[in-house]
Amino acid sequence: MNDFAPTPEADEGDAIGGASREKLRQFVARIERLEEEKASLAADIKEVYAEAKSFGFDTKVLRKVISIRKQDRHEREEQEALLDLYLGVVGE
Amino acid sequence: MNDFAPTPEADEGDAIGGASREKLRQFVARIERLEEEKASLAADIKEVYAEAKSFGFDTKVLRKVISIRKQDRHEREEQEALLDLYLGVVGE
Amino acid sequence: MNDFAPTPEADEGDAIGGASREKLRQFVARIERLEEEKASLAADIKEVYAEAKSFGFDTKVLRKVISIRKQDRHEREEQEALLDLYLGVVGE
Amino acid sequence: MNDFAPTPEADEGDAIGGASREKLRQFVARIERLEEEKASLAADIKEVYAEAKSFGFDTKVLRKVISIRKQDRHEREEQEALLDLYLGVVGE
DNA sequence: TCGGAAATCAAGACCC
DNA sequence: GGGTCTTGATTTCCGA
């Protein structure tokens, strides 16, 4: 079954059951709440860059720094994952 | 001068002054902190979609719903901006 | 191999085969032709705004009106897309 | 007077005269028509890039090529304008 | 897992 | 110079 309504129940005039409807409402609310916070953080980040710029820092370079550090972190995590893998193979 | 260091000060062996260096560190830390929170929220959102999916909801539809509601909000803001424009043009 | 040339062929002194070269030329020509027309239309639009202004209309308001109507159209399309999604999910 | 309505006429219940209203409608229609064509061309261009990609060309490089040629054209026009200026100064 | 499609985001151009 | 529009790049996400 490929319904949008998840629960199989008798139609009461709605294409989607009351329970599902409520559940859907909750999902939408949760997502929108999180999106809002995310947007707020994005705005904060922008502000920090602006402040840094007002201190004379080159935001382009600054962004590059952030990005490289992120990559480094990512690499380090991969290294660790690899190490874990090795250790696992050797036997704990 | 094309330095990354913002403040014009005598070189003391460093290409960037101690104060600026400290300030830079702080900016990087603040940005990374905020980015981290943002990434965390993005992960949360993804989770919610996954949960909704496990409840039988079609995530594609759900995403579309979220997107349309967002546009509605945006449109409402634009309408108000237009009204302000009208008032500004007619008034005074 | 990291060539710009798409087809793997023996080098005959050129880094890119004659056929590909010709094809590339055609793509560039087509794009530039379309870009030209687009620029021309942009100029036309600018003219219309100028004319409207000369008739006493506030171009800022006018632009906002155009923008809102565009959003309306877009939103309507999204609604239809959502409907199609619904139908696709429920139906079949 | 800073009205949006361009023509000073007695209010007939509308904030903007019938003639102006009609004129506005026409401006909106013209602009939207042109915008539509422009959007259509933009879509065409996108298609061409997609087609080029399907032929194995790197669209990023292709875009760069287009952009550089555009700059070249622009420079050449400036050179010519400069030449005209010179010639004008020397006297025809 | 890969590739393409889409959203996000900042940079640049351009006009007022 | 301020604001808007456009473009370009990056990232993200889903489906195959």
Side-chain angles (χ1 to χ4, degrees), chain C residues 25-70:
Chain C
R25 243 188 262 283
Q26 286 172 9
F27 280 127
V28 169
R30 280 169 68 191
I31 291 169
E32 284 182 347
R33 165 83 180 140
L34 292 169
E35 293 266 9
E36 201 179 325
E37 293 181 33
K38 189 152 81 86
S40 167
L41 281 172
D44 290 349
I45 292 169
K46 218 170 140 184
E47 263 183 60
V48 178
Y49 274 111
E51 192 186 340
K53 185 173 192 169
S54 80
F55 271 80
F57 292 108
D58 184 314
T59 59
K60 204 168 170 182
V61 175
L62 186 48
R63 278 178 196 282
K64 186 63 90 179
V65 169
I66 297 284
S67 137
I68 288 179
R69 284 169 57 95
K70 189 167 164 187

Side-chain angles (χ1 to χ4, degrees), chain B residues 42 46 53 60 63:
Chain B
K46 224 172 145 179
K53 185 171 193 171
K60 202 167 172 184
R63 280 178 195 280

Side-chain angles (χ1 to χ4, degrees), chain A residues 57-82:
Chain A
F57 292 108
D58 183 323
T59 60
K60 203 169 173 179
V61 176
L62 185 48
R63 279 177 197 281
K64 205 65 185 164
V65 169
I66 297 285
S67 138
I68 288 176
R69 283 170 58 95
K70 189 167 165 186
Q71 281 176 21
D72 286 349
R73 234 172 301 134
H74 188 239
E75 274 177 33
R76 219 167 307 129
E77 282 164 14
E78 284 198 344
Q79 301 281 359
E80 285 177 21
L82 187 59

Side-chain angles (χ1 to χ4, degrees), chain B residues 9-61:
Chain B
E9 31 182 62
D11 266 7
E12 304 161 355
D14 282 329
I16 174 176
S20 291
R21 181 185 286 268
E22 183 49 33
K23 211 81 192 85
L24 178 58
R25 247 189 259 282
Q26 286 172 9
F27 280 127
V28 169
R30 281 170 67 191
I31 291 169
E32 284 182 347
R33 166 81 180 143
L34 292 169
E35 293 267 8
E36 200 179 325
E37 293 181 34
K38 187 152 84 87
S40 168
L41 281 171
D44 289 349
I45 292 169
K46 224 172 145 179
E47 263 185 60
V48 178
Y49 276 109
E51 190 186 340
K53 185 171 193 171
S54 80
F55 270 81
F57 293 108
D58 184 314
T59 60
K60 202 167 172 184
V61 175

Side-chain angles (χ1 to χ4, degrees), chain B residues 58 60-61 64-65 67-68 71-72 74-75 78-79 81-82 85-86 89, chain C residues 58 60-61 64-65 67-68 71-72 74-75 78-79 81-82 85-86 89:
Chain B
D58 184 314
K60 202 167 172 184
V61 175
K64 187 64 93 179
V65 169
S67 133
I68 289 180
Q71 281 179 33
D72 283 348
H74 185 238
E75 179 123 336
E78 290 267 283
Q79 300 279 3
L82 179 58
L85 265 185
Y86 275 140
V89 169
Chain C
D58 184 314
K60 204 168 170 182
V61 175
K64 186 63 90 179
V65 169
S67 137
I68 288 179
Q71 282 180 33
D72 284 347
H74 185 238
E75 179 121 339
E78 290 267 282
Q79 299 279 1
L82 178 59
L85 268 185
Y86 275 139
V89 168

